[in-house]
Amino acid sequence: MNHPFTLPMHSETHTRASDYFGALTFSGDVMLKRLPPDVFMNLQQTMQRGLPLDRSIANTVAAAIKEWALEHGATHYCHWFQPLTGLTAEKHDAFLSPTDDGGALEKFSGDALIQGEPDASSFPSGGIRDTYEARGYTAWDATSPVFLLRGQDGQKTLCIPTAFVSWTGEALDKKTPLLRSIEAVTKHALRIVRFLGDAKATHVIATLGCEQEYFLIDRELFLQRLDLVVCGRTLIGSAAPKGQQLEDHYFGAIPETVLAYMTECEQRLFELGIPVKTRHNEVAPGQYELAPTYENCNVAVDHQMTTMHILRSVARRHGFECLLHEKPFAGVNGSGKHNNWSLSTNTGANLFDPRDDTHTNMQFMIFLVAVIRAIDLHADLLRASIASAHNDHRLGANEAPPAIMSIYLGEMLTEILDQLERGESKKSAKGSEIDLGARTLPQIPRHSSDRNRTSPFAFTGNKFEFRAVGSSQSVAWPNTVLNTIVAESLDVIATDLEKKAGKNPSPAKLEATVRALLKDLVKSHRRVCFDGNGYSAEWHAEAAKRGLPNFASTADALPALVTKKAEKLFAAYGVLSPRELHARWEIQMEQYCKIVQIEGRTLGQIARTQLLPAALRAQGELADVVASTQHAGVPCPESEAELRELAGSVVRLRVAVTELETAANKSISDHAKRVRHFREAVVPAIGQVREISDALESKIPADLWPLPNYATMLLMR
C-alpha cells in the first residue's frame, strides 16, 4: 500500500521541513479537507476557543480520523493520557473487528473516540481508588490534536489525547487539572482585558514553550551501569580529569554523530507538528538542549511529553542513551526544563509585552503586578510544584536556581516599580545600541535590561521563564499551579477594579484607580523581586530577612500542598477538590520515598556484587606485591601504607553499605515520618557510600574497576 507520507531518513533529500510539518497530526488542512464544513467549524470552536464539544459530531469525526489513520498504515488506536506517574500511558486497540460472515472490517466509532475505560486501580490515586475499585474513564481532549506515533519499525498507532478520571469523577491525571487551571486564568485575564476597553478580545490563551536539556552517552556503556539503568543517574563515579572547566562545550560544534541524532529527532517532531526551533551543546560535556517555539499551554504540555519519548527512542537507533534525569553525573551541570509562560489574547496581543511606553501601559503593569503578587503569596506552592527526589540534586547548586522562589525583573521594570510605589510616572528606560568598535560590524540593539540565569522565575522580555522545573518532569503540574495562583491574583485585581472604578469609568478615573491599586500591591508584594546573584549566601540571608520561604528539599516543600490555604485556593477556582489535592500530596510523598529507596537498594547491590569484589581483588594483588617484596628483603613502606589504606577503605565501605541497607529497608507507615527518614537517613547514607567508593575508584587499577568511568561516558564521542 502506498502511503501519502513517508519521511525519508538518513538519505540525501531536499524535502523542506515545512512540507511535512504536522503530517502525522489530524489538524489544520487535514481536518479541513476531510470533515464537512459545519463539523470542521464546530470542532475548531472547541480546539481554539475551548467551547464545549458537540457530541453529535463524534461519529463523523471518528470516521474521518479512521480513514486518515488507515491511509497512513495505522492498525491500532489508543487513548493517550498522563496518569500521576509523571509519564504517559496507552492501551492499544485494533481497528479490525470480525463480521458475522467470518470476515473483518476496520471500525472506529464516535463512542470509541470520545471515551475509554482503563483500569483506574493500577495507577497512583492517592487513596481515591482502592485496589478493588477498578473503573476509570478516559475522555477525548479535542483541544489537543490527535496524532500518529511511529515506532521503530515504522508501524504507526493513532493516539488520542485524553483526560483520565475515576468512576466517581475525580481527576487521576495531570491533564484534567491543567485544563481547569487554563480556564481559570484565561477567564479572569479576559475580565481585566475587557474592563480596560479591548472589545475585540473574546478569549485569552495561556502560552508555553519548554526548553529541554538532556545528556547523551553510549548505550553499551549505559547498559554496563546498573545505577543508570535503574535510577537514571550515576550513584557513584569520581570526576573525570576534564569536566566543564574550560567552558568549551557550551555552544560548541555539535559532534557529527550527535547532529545525526538531533536531525532525526527534529524530523520526527516536525511530522507531529511540534515546532522545535533550537538545538545546541549545553554547558556540561555530553549535555545538549532542544527548544520549541510557543504554543497553546495544553498542547505544549502534550508536545513536551511526546518530545521526551522521541528523544529517548531515537537515541537508541543511534547507539546512544538519552538521560533526562536532573543530575545524572556529579560534578558537572545538571539538566532543567525552562518553562516559558505567557498570556495572549485571541487578537494576538501578548499581555506581558511592555511595548514602548511601559510606564503608561496599564494593561502590562496590571498583569505584571498580578504575577508578582501570585509568586509572593504562593511561593510555597510554586516550590512544591517542582519538588522531586531528582530535582533535589540540582536545585540550589551553582548551576540551577535556588529553592527560594523570587522574581527577576531587570533595571527597567524595577525602576517602574519604584515609581509606582512613590506614585510617580516618568519615562521608562529604553534600550540603546552597542558600538562594536569596528566599521565592518553593525551596531546592535541593546535590551533595556540584562538577563539573570540565577533567578528561578525571571521576566525575559514578554514572558516569564520558570527555570526551576526539572528536566525529567512533566510540565503539566508546574503550569497548573502557575495558572491557578495567577488566576487568583487576576480575580482579586479585577474585582477590586470593578468595585472602585465602577462600570464604564472615565479614562482619568480608570487610570487613577489603577495607579492606586498598583501602588498598594507593589508595596505589599515586591519583597519577592530580586535582581542579584541567586547563588550567593548573601541572598539566602536577605531572603530570610524578607520572610521568603526556603524549602531546601522535597520533604520540606510538599507539606505546602495540604495546607488550608492551598485547599481553599484550588477549590475556589475549580482546579482540584481537597480530596484530589491531598491525593497528589500523598502520591508525591510516596514517589519520593520509593525513588530514594530504589537508589539505596541499587547502590547496595552494586557495592556488594561489584565494588567490594573489585576492591578485594585489588587488595589481594597489592598484598601479594608487598609480601613478595618483603620476602626479597626489600623495604616497601609506601606499598605497605597503601595496602593499609586500601584495606581500611574496604572495611569502611562494608560498614557504610550495611548502614545504607538498614536505613533503606526500614518500614515506616506514616507518610510524613517516612519522607523525613528517607531525607535525613537514607540520602546521607547514599552519599557516604559514594564518598568512600569514589575515593576507591582513584586507587584501584582500571582493569579491575567494574564500571565505565566518567571520562569514558562523557568525553568519548
Side-chain angles (χ1 to χ4, degrees):
M1 178 179 180
N2 292 323
H3 303 314
F5 171 75
T6 303
L7 182 68
M9 290 290 177
H10 308 299
S11 62
E12 288 293 327
T13 176
H14 299 290
T15 303
R16 296 181 181 181
S18 57
D19 291 337
Y20 61 85
F21 184 81
L24 295 186
T25 62
F26 190 78
S27 60
D29 288 344
V30 176
M31 287 200 307
L32 182 62
K33 292 175 182 176
R34 292 177 177 267
L35 294 175
D38 60 327
V39 174
F40 172 78
M41 293 300 295
N42 194 317
L43 189 55
Q44 285 288 93
Q45 291 292 307
T46 297
M47 296 184 70
Q48 295 181 1
R49 297 187 58 186
L51 297 182
L53 177 69
D54 183 354
R55 292 181 66 98
S56 67
I57 68 172
N59 282 329
T60 303
V61 175
I65 290 176
K66 181 196 72 174
E67 291 305 315
W68 170 76
L70 293 175
E71 288 172 14
H72 281 79
T75 58
H76 289 69
Y77 68 91
C78 72
H79 277 198
W80 183 85
F81 58 101
Q82 299 172 40
L84 295 172
T85 58
L87 303 172
T88 59
E90 53 198 58
K91 179 186 73 171
H92 296 195
D93 288 303
F95 288 114
L96 194 71
S97 296
T99 58
D100 293 338
D101 60 0
L105 290 173
E106 281 81 11
K107 293 182 179 180
F108 185 56
S109 67
D111 287 342
L113 170 64
I114 286 181
Q115 184 175 317
E117 192 178 323
D119 185 340
S121 66
S122 299
F123 293 101
S125 71
I128 289 177
R129 294 270 84 187
D130 210 331
T131 305
Y132 63 87
E133 297 174 317
R135 195 180 297 279
Y137 300 111
T138 49
W140 177 33
D141 170 20
T143 64
S144 186
V146 171
F147 61 96
L148 291 166
L149 193 60
R150 187 153 50 85
Q152 296 280 12
D153 59 355
Q155 176 64 46
K156 299 183 184 74
T157 302
L158 178 71
C159 295
I160 304 159
T162 57
F164 177 42
V165 299
S166 71
W167 178 74
T168 49
E170 288 100 346
L172 296 176
D173 66 342
K174 302 205 172 206
K175 177 183 280 285
T176 303
L178 174 67
L179 291 171
R180 295 169 180 170
S181 74
I182 291 171
E183 285 194 14
V185 74
T186 57
K187 171 187 174 182
H188 295 291
L190 184 61
R191 285 176 63 195
I192 290 177
V193 170
R194 299 299 294 270
F195 188 78
L196 294 179
D198 188 349
K200 294 182 180 179
T202 58
H203 58 282
V204 172
I205 304 157
T207 62
L208 179 65
C210 298
E211 305 165 35
Q212 176 71 62
E213 295 173 344
Y214 61 94
F215 280 82
L216 289 178
I217 66 168
D218 184 278
R219 180 157 171 77
E220 290 186 4
L221 298 176
F222 167 81
L223 292 174
Q224 293 174 44
R225 295 207 48 138
L226 185 65
D227 50 2
L228 281 176
V229 172
V230 175
C231 306
R233 76 178 183 104
T234 54
L235 300 173
I236 54 173
S238 60
K242 177 182 179 294
Q244 58 194 55
Q245 305 96 315
L246 298 179
E247 300 170 331
D248 55 344
H249 191 258
Y250 191 51
F251 279 23
I254 301 172
E256 289 188 9
T257 53
V258 175
L259 187 59
Y261 160 75
M262 289 179 167
T263 300
E264 182 174 347
C265 284
E266 289 177 349
Q267 290 173 337
R268 293 281 301 275
L269 294 170
F270 285 153
E271 69 186 11
L272 290 169
I274 301 176
V276 287
K277 183 73 173 178
T278 302
R279 64 189 185 198
H280 63 83
N281 288 5
E282 252 300 332
V283 171
Q287 187 184 33
Y288 306 93
E289 181 177 299
L290 170 150
T293 53
Y294 308 107
E295 303 180 273
N296 170 293
C297 183
N298 177 46
V299 174
V301 169
D302 285 359
H303 280 174
Q304 226 296 306
M305 299 302 293
T306 306
T307 296
M308 290 194 288
H309 170 81
I310 295 295
L311 286 173
R312 288 191 183 104
S313 62
V314 173
R316 293 169 185 176
R317 287 171 51 92
H318 291 258
F320 292 124
E321 186 69 26
C322 176
L323 304 178
L324 296 177
H325 194 286
E326 283 73 4
K327 193 71 172 177
F329 301 99
V332 297
N333 274 19
S335 297
K337 179 149 42 192
H338 300 167
N339 190 94
N340 296 282
W341 174 90
S342 189
L343 295 170
S344 299
T345 67
N346 61 297
T347 58
N350 186 329
L351 300 177
F352 292 111
D353 185 354
R355 303 177 190 172
D356 292 332
D357 293 319
T358 307
H359 66 295
T360 58
N361 183 350
M362 284 193 297
Q363 182 168 273
F364 167 73
M365 292 308 304
I366 288 173
F367 279 91
L368 174 69
V369 173
V371 171
I372 293 172
R373 178 188 180 277
I375 305 304
D376 181 38
L377 291 180
H378 303 294
D380 55 346
L381 289 176
L382 200 64
R383 170 65 180 91
S385 77
I386 46 89
S388 72
H390 297 164
N391 218 11
D392 277 359
H393 297 290
R394 168 180 166 264
L395 290 182
N398 286 342
E399 58 173 273
I404 305 165
M405 295 294 105
S406 66
I407 301 177
Y408 168 79
L409 295 177
E411 289 182 21
M412 179 185 76
L413 295 184
T414 299
E415 180 184 331
I416 291 171
L417 290 191
D418 291 339
Q419 294 175 22
L420 284 172
E421 194 168 359
R422 294 192 301 264
E424 298 175 353
S425 177
K426 296 180 179 179
K427 281 285 184 182
S428 51
K430 296 188 183 300
S432 57
E433 289 188 335
I434 302 175
D435 187 345
L436 300 182
R439 285 182 297 174
T440 56
L441 296 176
Q443 290 188 334
I444 60 174
R446 185 205 312 266
H447 290 83
S448 57
S449 63
D450 206 342
R451 296 184 68 184
N452 189 325
R453 295 181 60 84
T454 71
S455 174
F457 202 86
F459 182 75
T460 55
N462 60 3
K463 56 183 171 56
F464 284 95
E465 183 180 30
F466 188 16
R467 297 174 55 84
V469 182
S471 53
S472 68
Q473 287 184 280
S474 162
V475 291
W477 180 229
N479 282 284
T480 297
V481 173
L482 180 56
N483 288 334
T484 306
I485 64 177
V486 173
E488 189 254 357
S489 276
L490 293 173
D491 181 16
V492 168
I493 293 173
T495 301
D496 210 7
L497 284 175
E498 292 162 356
K499 179 181 178 181
K500 292 178 179 178
K503 291 185 178 180
N504 302 316
S506 66
K509 183 174 183 181
L510 176 60
E511 182 176 346
T513 305
V514 169
R515 284 193 176 280
L517 177 61
L518 293 180
K519 180 179 179 179
D520 290 342
L521 289 171
V522 169
K523 282 184 176 180
S524 300
H525 301 292
R526 72 174 303 176
R527 64 173 184 164
V528 79
C529 299
F530 176 68
D531 287 358
N533 181 7
Y535 295 160
S536 68
E538 291 79 8
W539 166 232
H540 284 246
E542 172 63 22
K545 279 185 184 179
R546 296 186 187 187
L548 300 181
N550 181 5
F551 300 120
S553 73
T554 294
D556 301 316
L558 288 181
L561 297 179
V562 287
T563 62
K564 290 296 182 184
K565 181 189 79 165
E567 289 184 0
K568 183 178 178 181
L569 172 74
F570 285 105
Y573 294 92
V575 176
L576 290 167
S577 69
R579 189 181 186 202
E580 289 172 323
L581 183 61
H582 192 278
R584 278 149 182 77
W585 166 79
E586 187 173 315
I587 289 167
Q588 285 188 254
M589 298 271 275
E590 191 63 25
Q591 284 177 339
Y592 175 85
C593 295
K594 288 177 178 178
I595 288 170
V596 176
Q597 184 176 60
I598 288 169
E599 288 186 349
R601 289 175 173 175
T602 301
L603 182 53
Q605 183 173 332
I606 291 172
R608 293 280 185 202
T609 62
Q610 293 181 282
L611 304 185
L612 282 169
L616 289 171
R617 288 191 200 102
Q619 181 179 323
E621 289 184 3
L622 184 55
D624 289 343
V625 170
V626 170
S628 60
T629 304
Q630 290 173 336
H631 184 72
V634 179
C636 55
E638 293 86 357
S639 295
E640 291 176 18
E642 186 178 346
L643 178 59
R644 284 193 296 271
E645 183 180 354
L646 180 57
S649 295
V650 171
V651 172
R652 288 196 299 275
L653 182 59
R654 286 188 190 277
V655 172
V657 170
T658 300
E659 291 176 349
L660 169 60
E661 291 170 336
T662 300
N665 292 310
K666 186 174 182 179
S667 178
I668 302 173
S669 57
D670 180 83
H671 285 300
K673 291 180 181 178
R674 182 170 160 81
V675 167
R676 188 65 57 187
H677 167 75
F678 276 93
R679 175 70 184 93
E680 296 179 355
V682 182
V683 170
I686 291 173
Q688 180 64 23
V689 172
R690 174 169 200 145
E691 184 179 341
I692 299 168
S693 168
D694 290 357
L696 273 172
E697 185 178 350
S698 63
K699 300 170 186 174
I700 292 179
D703 63 323
L704 292 181
W705 190 251
L707 304 173
N709 61 30
Y710 271 28
T712 304
M713 290 187 289
L714 289 174
L715 302 178
M716 295 185 180
R717 285 288 176 272

